[in-house]
PDB file of all heavy atoms in Angstrom:
ATOM      1  N   THR W 259       9.498 -11.430 -16.072  1.00 88.00           N
ATOM      2  CA  THR W 259       9.554 -11.333 -14.612  1.00 88.00           C
ATOM      3  C   THR W 259      10.132  -9.985 -14.200  1.00 88.00           C
ATOM      4  O   THR W 259       9.720  -9.364 -13.289  1.00 88.00           O
ATOM      5  CB  THR W 259      10.382 -12.536 -14.046  1.00 88.00           C
ATOM      6  OG1 THR W 259       9.793 -13.656 -14.470  1.00 88.00           O
ATOM      7  CG2 THR W 259      10.416 -12.541 -12.538  1.00 88.00           C
ATOM      8  N   LEU W 260      11.243  -9.671 -14.940  1.00 89.00           N
ATOM      9  CA  LEU W 260      11.908  -8.325 -14.567  1.00 89.00           C
ATOM     10  C   LEU W 260      10.842  -7.185 -14.825  1.00 89.00           C
ATOM     11  O   LEU W 260      10.973  -6.245 -14.099  1.00 89.00           O
ATOM     12  CB  LEU W 260      13.157  -8.199 -15.253  1.00 89.00           C
ATOM     13  CG  LEU W 260      14.259  -9.151 -14.851  1.00 89.00           C
ATOM     14  CD1 LEU W 260      15.491  -9.052 -15.865  1.00 89.00           C
ATOM     15  CD2 LEU W 260      14.689  -8.750 -13.451  1.00 89.00           C
ATOM     16  N   MET W 261      10.167  -7.240 -15.933  1.00 89.00           N
ATOM     17  CA  MET W 261       9.268  -6.094 -16.121  1.00 89.00           C
ATOM     18  C   MET W 261       8.226  -6.082 -15.186  1.00 89.00           C
ATOM     19  O   MET W 261       7.829  -4.928 -14.708  1.00 89.00           O
ATOM     20  CB  MET W 261       8.672  -6.325 -17.550  1.00 89.00           C
ATOM     21  CG  MET W 261       9.636  -6.070 -18.674  1.00 89.00           C
ATOM     22  SD  MET W 261       9.126  -6.451 -20.267  1.00 89.00           S
ATOM     23  CE  MET W 261       7.852  -5.089 -20.507  1.00 89.00           C
ATOM     24  N   PHE W 262       7.659  -7.304 -14.666  1.00 85.00           N
ATOM     25  CA  PHE W 262       6.638  -7.341 -13.520  1.00 85.00           C
ATOM     26  C   PHE W 262       7.204  -6.598 -12.346  1.00 85.00           C
ATOM     27  O   PHE W 262       6.669  -5.834 -11.715  1.00 85.00           O
ATOM     28  CB  PHE W 262       6.238  -8.735 -13.368  1.00 85.00           C
ATOM     29  CG  PHE W 262       5.484  -8.921 -12.029  1.00 85.00           C
ATOM     30  CD1 PHE W 262       4.071  -8.519 -12.081  1.00 85.00           C
ATOM     31  CD2 PHE W 262       6.042  -9.345 -10.889  1.00 85.00           C
ATOM     32  CE1 PHE W 262       3.391  -8.702 -11.032  1.00 85.00           C
ATOM     33  CE2 PHE W 262       5.277  -9.451  -9.752  1.00 85.00           C
ATOM     34  CZ  PHE W 262       3.920  -9.212  -9.712  1.00 85.00           C
ATOM     35  N   GLY W 263       8.536  -7.038 -12.029  1.00 85.00           N
ATOM     36  CA  GLY W 263       9.121  -6.413 -10.891  1.00 85.00           C
ATOM     37  C   GLY W 263       9.331  -4.950 -11.003  1.00 85.00           C
ATOM     38  O   GLY W 263       9.116  -4.225  -9.995  1.00 85.00           O
ATOM     39  N   GLN W 264       9.589  -4.554 -12.090  1.00 86.00           N
ATOM     40  CA  GLN W 264       9.806  -3.006 -12.416  1.00 86.00           C
ATOM     41  C   GLN W 264       8.437  -2.273 -12.109  1.00 86.00           C
ATOM     42  O   GLN W 264       8.432  -1.321 -11.481  1.00 86.00           O
ATOM     43  CB  GLN W 264      10.287  -2.735 -13.744  1.00 86.00           C
ATOM     44  CG  GLN W 264      10.696  -1.251 -14.054  1.00 86.00           C
ATOM     45  CD  GLN W 264      11.316  -1.192 -15.284  1.00 86.00           C
ATOM     46  OE1 GLN W 264      11.289  -2.120 -16.221  1.00 86.00           O
ATOM     47  NE2 GLN W 264      11.968  -0.011 -15.553  1.00 86.00           N
ATOM     48  N   ARG W 265       7.345  -2.996 -12.700  1.00 84.00           N
ATOM     49  CA  ARG W 265       6.112  -2.372 -12.452  1.00 84.00           C
ATOM     50  C   ARG W 265       5.661  -2.320 -11.060  1.00 84.00           C
ATOM     51  O   ARG W 265       5.169  -1.449 -10.435  1.00 84.00           O
ATOM     52  CB  ARG W 265       4.992  -3.074 -13.332  1.00 84.00           C
ATOM     53  CG  ARG W 265       4.695  -2.494 -14.608  1.00 84.00           C
ATOM     54  CD  ARG W 265       3.495  -2.807 -15.261  1.00 84.00           C
ATOM     55  NE  ARG W 265       2.791  -3.829 -14.807  1.00 84.00           N
ATOM     56  CZ  ARG W 265       2.613  -5.063 -15.374  1.00 84.00           C
ATOM     57  NH1 ARG W 265       3.188  -5.205 -16.514  1.00 84.00           N
ATOM     58  NH2 ARG W 265       1.906  -5.941 -14.822  1.00 84.00           N
ATOM     59  N   ALA W 266       5.970  -3.543 -10.337  1.00 80.00           N
ATOM     60  CA  ALA W 266       5.523  -3.692  -8.865  1.00 80.00           C
ATOM     61  C   ALA W 266       6.289  -2.679  -8.020  1.00 80.00           C
ATOM     62  O   ALA W 266       5.777  -2.278  -7.046  1.00 80.00           O
ATOM     63  CB  ALA W 266       5.710  -5.112  -8.512  1.00 80.00           C
ATOM     64  N   LYS W 267       7.557  -2.377  -8.447  1.00 80.00           N
ATOM     65  CA  LYS W 267       8.304  -1.458  -7.602  1.00 80.00           C
ATOM     66  C   LYS W 267       7.818  -0.072  -7.564  1.00 80.00           C
ATOM     67  O   LYS W 267       8.023   0.653  -6.620  1.00 80.00           O
ATOM     68  CB  LYS W 267       9.740  -1.464  -8.212  1.00 80.00           C
ATOM     69  CG  LYS W 267      10.860  -1.197  -7.251  1.00 80.00           C
ATOM     70  CD  LYS W 267      12.209  -1.561  -7.923  1.00 80.00           C
ATOM     71  CE  LYS W 267      12.820  -0.299  -8.217  1.00 80.00           C
ATOM     72  NZ  LYS W 267      14.321  -0.414  -8.720  1.00 80.00           N
ATOM     73  N   THR W 268       7.002   0.344  -8.551  1.00 82.00           N
ATOM     74  CA  THR W 268       6.478   1.627  -8.577  1.00 82.00           C
ATOM     75  C   THR W 268       5.223   1.805  -7.697  1.00 82.00           C
ATOM     76  O   THR W 268       4.925   2.924  -7.425  1.00 82.00           O
ATOM     77  CB  THR W 268       5.980   2.038 -10.083  1.00 82.00           C
ATOM     78  OG1 THR W 268       4.936   1.174 -10.481  1.00 82.00           O
ATOM     79  CG2 THR W 268       7.231   1.950 -11.049  1.00 82.00           C
ATOM     80  N   ILE W 269       4.658   0.684  -7.219  1.00 78.00           N
ATOM     81  CA  ILE W 269       3.412   0.758  -6.349  1.00 78.00           C
ATOM     82  C   ILE W 269       3.981   1.145  -4.995  1.00 78.00           C
ATOM     83  O   ILE W 269       4.866   0.555  -4.406  1.00 78.00           O
ATOM     84  CB  ILE W 269       2.788  -0.636  -6.372  1.00 78.00           C
ATOM     85  CG1 ILE W 269       2.243  -1.019  -7.808  1.00 78.00           C
ATOM     86  CG2 ILE W 269       1.613  -0.618  -5.339  1.00 78.00           C
ATOM     87  CD1 ILE W 269       1.800  -2.454  -7.835  1.00 78.00           C
ATOM     88  N   LYS W 270       3.239   2.135  -4.413  1.00 75.00           N
ATOM     89  CA  LYS W 270       3.543   2.505  -3.034  1.00 75.00           C
ATOM     90  C   LYS W 270       2.449   2.231  -2.181  1.00 75.00           C
ATOM     91  O   LYS W 270       1.238   2.657  -2.288  1.00 75.00           O
ATOM     92  CB  LYS W 270       3.761   4.003  -3.006  1.00 75.00           C
ATOM     93  CG  LYS W 270       4.809   4.636  -3.996  1.00 75.00           C
ATOM     94  CD  LYS W 270       6.117   4.180  -3.448  1.00 75.00           C
ATOM     95  CE  LYS W 270       7.202   4.763  -4.396  1.00 75.00           C
ATOM     96  NZ  LYS W 270       8.440   3.978  -4.485  1.00 75.00           N
ATOM     97  N   ASN W 271       2.735   1.309  -1.189  1.00 73.00           N
ATOM     98  CA  ASN W 271       1.858   0.960  -0.222  1.00 73.00           C
ATOM     99  C   ASN W 271       1.843   1.838   1.030  1.00 73.00           C
ATOM    100  O   ASN W 271       3.059   2.248   1.454  1.00 73.00           O
ATOM    101  CB  ASN W 271       1.955  -0.565   0.326  1.00 73.00           C
ATOM    102  CG  ASN W 271       1.441  -1.503  -0.729  1.00 73.00           C
ATOM    103  OD1 ASN W 271       1.036  -1.128  -1.714  1.00 73.00           O
ATOM    104  ND2 ASN W 271       1.594  -2.755  -0.374  1.00 73.00           N
ATOM    105  N   THR W 272       0.884   2.142   1.559  1.00 71.00           N
ATOM    106  CA  THR W 272       0.942   2.984   3.002  1.00 71.00           C
ATOM    107  C   THR W 272       0.057   2.114   3.923  1.00 71.00           C
ATOM    108  O   THR W 272      -1.079   2.254   4.036  1.00 71.00           O
ATOM    109  CB  THR W 272       0.170   4.358   2.791  1.00 71.00           C
ATOM    110  OG1 THR W 272      -1.048   4.243   2.088  1.00 71.00           O
ATOM    111  CG2 THR W 272       1.053   5.209   1.955  1.00 71.00           C
ATOM    112  N   ALA W 273       0.807   1.302   4.668  1.00 68.00           N
ATOM    113  CA  ALA W 273       0.240   0.484   5.653  1.00 68.00           C
ATOM    114  C   ALA W 273      -0.084   1.418   6.808  1.00 68.00           C
ATOM    115  O   ALA W 273       0.607   2.193   7.290  1.00 68.00           O
ATOM    116  CB  ALA W 273       1.154  -0.645   6.065  1.00 68.00           C
ATOM    117  N   SER W 274      -1.391   1.238   7.195  1.00 68.00           N
ATOM    118  CA  SER W 274      -1.733   1.877   8.474  1.00 68.00           C
ATOM    119  C   SER W 274      -2.665   1.037   9.255  1.00 68.00           C
ATOM    120  O   SER W 274      -3.339   0.147   8.806  1.00 68.00           O
ATOM    121  CB  SER W 274      -2.479   3.210   8.191  1.00 68.00           C
ATOM    122  OG  SER W 274      -3.617   2.965   7.412  1.00 68.00           O
ATOM    123  N   VAL W 275      -2.902   1.290  10.563  1.00 68.00           N
ATOM    124  CA  VAL W 275      -3.751   0.516  11.429  1.00 68.00           C
ATOM    125  C   VAL W 275      -5.200   1.013  11.129  1.00 68.00           C
ATOM    126  O   VAL W 275      -5.493   2.093  11.067  1.00 68.00           O
ATOM    127  CB  VAL W 275      -3.320   0.741  12.892  1.00 68.00           C
ATOM    128  CG1 VAL W 275      -4.377   0.085  13.724  1.00 68.00           C
ATOM    129  CG2 VAL W 275      -1.950   0.300  13.107  1.00 68.00           C
ATOM    130  N   ASN W 276      -6.037   0.001  10.920  1.00 70.00           N
ATOM    131  CA  ASN W 276      -7.519   0.289  10.589  1.00 70.00           C
ATOM    132  C   ASN W 276      -8.008   0.581  11.989  1.00 70.00           C
ATOM    133  O   ASN W 276      -7.956  -0.227  12.970  1.00 70.00           O
ATOM    134  CB  ASN W 276      -8.209  -0.850  10.126  1.00 70.00           C
ATOM    135  CG  ASN W 276      -7.731  -1.136   8.646  1.00 70.00           C
ATOM    136  OD1 ASN W 276      -7.342  -0.191   8.025  1.00 70.00           O
ATOM    137  ND2 ASN W 276      -7.904  -2.278   8.109  1.00 70.00           N
ATOM    138  N   LEU W 277      -8.465   1.803  12.313  1.00 72.00           N
ATOM    139  CA  LEU W 277      -8.930   2.291  13.508  1.00 72.00           C
ATOM    140  C   LEU W 277     -10.260   2.850  13.494  1.00 72.00           C
ATOM    141  O   LEU W 277     -10.544   3.618  12.530  1.00 72.00           O
ATOM    142  CB  LEU W 277      -7.843   3.433  14.020  1.00 72.00           C
ATOM    143  CG  LEU W 277      -8.116   4.079  15.284  1.00 72.00           C
ATOM    144  CD1 LEU W 277      -7.782   3.109  16.464  1.00 72.00           C
ATOM    145  CD2 LEU W 277      -7.215   5.331  15.394  1.00 72.00           C
ATOM    146  N   GLU W 278     -11.064   2.379  14.381  1.00 78.00           N
ATOM    147  CA  GLU W 278     -12.360   2.945  14.463  1.00 78.00           C
ATOM    148  C   GLU W 278     -12.444   3.772  15.643  1.00 78.00           C
ATOM    149  O   GLU W 278     -12.240   3.340  16.804  1.00 78.00           O
ATOM    150  CB  GLU W 278     -13.495   1.861  14.525  1.00 78.00           C
ATOM    151  CG  GLU W 278     -13.501   0.970  13.265  1.00 78.00           C
ATOM    152  CD  GLU W 278     -14.786   0.270  13.018  1.00 78.00           C
ATOM    153  OE1 GLU W 278     -15.707   0.687  13.521  1.00 78.00           O
ATOM    154  OE2 GLU W 278     -14.751  -0.675  12.367  1.00 78.00           O
ATOM    155  N   LEU W 279     -12.774   5.113  15.507  1.00 78.00           N
ATOM    156  CA  LEU W 279     -12.832   6.010  16.518  1.00 78.00           C
ATOM    157  C   LEU W 279     -14.300   6.104  17.128  1.00 78.00           C
ATOM    158  O   LEU W 279     -15.166   5.875  16.546  1.00 78.00           O
ATOM    159  CB  LEU W 279     -12.535   7.486  15.950  1.00 78.00           C
ATOM    160  CG  LEU W 279     -11.094   7.434  15.362  1.00 78.00           C
ATOM    161  CD1 LEU W 279     -10.811   8.951  14.771  1.00 78.00           C
ATOM    162  CD2 LEU W 279      -9.926   7.192  16.255  1.00 78.00           C
ATOM    163  N   THR W 280     -14.241   6.412  18.451  1.00 85.00           N
ATOM    164  CA  THR W 280     -15.549   6.658  19.086  1.00 85.00           C
ATOM    165  C   THR W 280     -16.076   8.007  18.681  1.00 85.00           C
ATOM    166  O   THR W 280     -15.322   8.884  18.092  1.00 85.00           O
ATOM    167  CB  THR W 280     -15.271   6.578  20.639  1.00 85.00           C
ATOM    168  OG1 THR W 280     -14.546   7.740  20.974  1.00 85.00           O
ATOM    169  CG2 THR W 280     -14.747   5.278  21.106  1.00 85.00           C
ATOM    170  N   ALA W 281     -17.300   8.185  19.018  1.00 87.00           N
ATOM    171  CA  ALA W 281     -17.938   9.500  18.606  1.00 87.00           C
ATOM    172  C   ALA W 281     -17.261  10.756  19.306  1.00 87.00           C
ATOM    173  O   ALA W 281     -17.088  11.717  18.747  1.00 87.00           O
ATOM    174  CB  ALA W 281     -19.454   9.459  19.137  1.00 87.00           C
ATOM    175  N   GLU W 282     -16.714  10.455  20.660  1.00 88.00           N
ATOM    176  CA  GLU W 282     -16.012  11.590  21.394  1.00 88.00           C
ATOM    177  C   GLU W 282     -14.685  11.832  20.593  1.00 88.00           C
ATOM    178  O   GLU W 282     -14.416  13.037  20.498  1.00 88.00           O
ATOM    179  CB  GLU W 282     -15.912  11.204  22.825  1.00 88.00           C
ATOM    180  CG  GLU W 282     -15.251  12.132  23.615  1.00 88.00           C
ATOM    181  CD  GLU W 282     -16.232  13.363  23.819  1.00 88.00           C
ATOM    182  OE1 GLU W 282     -17.392  13.205  23.833  1.00 88.00           O
ATOM    183  OE2 GLU W 282     -15.693  14.518  23.830  1.00 88.00           O
TER     184      GLU W 282
END
């Protein structure tokens, strides 16, 4: 479990809003 946590800690998430832009 600790090894899993150590591996999971290295993952970097970049949460952003999914945005669809208009042509303009």
Side-chain angles (χ1 to χ4, degrees):
T259 303
L260 288 172
M261 289 173 69
F262 169 78
Q264 189 174 12
R265 269 204 338 256
K267 213 166 107 175
T268 62
I269 298 169
K270 301 292 182 213
N271 285 2
T272 51
S274 61
V275 176
N276 290 336
L277 178 68
E278 294 202 25
L279 302 177
T280 64
E282 188 62 35

